[in-house]
Amino acid sequence: MSSPPGLESVVAAAKTAGPKGLPPVHLWNPAHCGDIDIVIRKDGLWFHEGSPIGREALVRLFSTVLRKDPDGYHLVTPVEKMRITVEDAPFIAVRVDREGDSLKFLTNVGDEVIAGPDNPIRVEVDPQTGEPRPYVHVRRGLEARIARPVFYELVELATEHDTPEGPVLAVTSDGAVFPVGPVGAHLT
């Protein structure tokens, strides 16, 4: 099965991966050539022209040429830059493992990331529901929303930390401390 129409150059660019398996999209500065009908839904599913992109390998390939710029998310090649729609975060953190003093996350597109000073964990609170919305930085401004079961694991790993604002539940990774609960929350 071939790639969706209009995306052949994206596939070709993604195949130019460097030593870490990622193309150097941060070095590419092509002109913006418009929008392309790709949507990454908040549940992590990728759609092209209203249909899900069912091939995991193709989604992974596209994820390697995804870049976040001040004007939005783009699929980038050395000669093209096409804006796409991302409903929340482009990736989902589907697993976390404690490795020594670090937390290693796995995303739905196969990225592995160690949380720490360069890849912080942050938790927002949904203003409508009051529910936590946790994220981990993956690379160059791209984040993964931490799946609910993975967030529950983080809360289980949390310890109480004193801050000037009061006690907070937090996890530590790679020498950094990341709050996972509101100020005043206590372990029960």
Side-chain angles (χ1 to χ4, degrees):
M1 180 175 168
S2 65
S3 61
L7 296 180
E8 290 81 12
S9 64
V10 173
V11 171
K15 290 181 178 178
T16 66
K20 286 195 165 196
L22 294 170
V25 297
H26 60 291
L27 301 176
W28 297 340
N29 294 303
H32 184 268
C33 3
D35 296 356
I36 189 163
D37 188 7
I38 290 183
V39 176
I40 304 174
R41 291 193 338 197
K42 61 183 167 187
D43 61 6
L45 295 177
W46 290 55
F47 282 75
H48 179 253
E49 296 180 348
S51 298
I53 300 175
R55 293 179 52 208
E56 287 182 34
L58 193 56
V59 168
R60 169 66 184 149
L61 200 61
F62 290 158
S63 77
T64 65
V65 292
L66 182 63
R67 187 170 81 191
K68 184 177 181 185
D69 290 342
D71 62 337
Y73 292 92
H74 300 84
L75 296 180
V76 181
T77 75
V79 296
E80 293 180 304
K81 177 179 170 181
M82 299 167 284
R83 187 180 6 257
I84 68 168
T85 301
V86 177
E87 291 181 349
D88 187 5
F91 312 128
I92 305 290
V94 295
R95 181 178 174 147
V96 64
D97 293 301
R98 169 67 74 187
E99 293 187 353
D101 66 348
S102 297
L103 294 170
K104 182 168 95 175
F105 290 86
L106 175 67
T107 71
N108 61 320
V109 293
D111 288 310
E112 292 182 348
V113 61
I114 302 290
D118 293 333
N119 296 306
I121 298 168
R122 67 181 180 90
V123 180
E124 292 184 359
V125 175
D126 185 308
Q128 296 174 340
T129 66
E131 293 285 319
R133 290 191 327 212
Y135 301 88
V136 62
H137 181 263
V138 176
R139 64 177 182 269
R140 297 188 184 101
L142 300 175
E143 290 184 310
R145 182 159 179 190
I146 299 172
R148 186 177 299 257
V150 176
F151 183 62
Y152 290 156
E153 288 183 57
L154 286 182
V155 171
E156 289 290 321
L157 294 170
T159 56
E160 201 170 289
H161 291 258
D162 289 323
T163 70
E165 295 81 28
V168 67
L169 293 178
V171 293
T172 59
S173 182
D174 207 23
V177 177
F178 303 105
V180 294
V183 171
H186 296 280
L187 292 173
T188 56

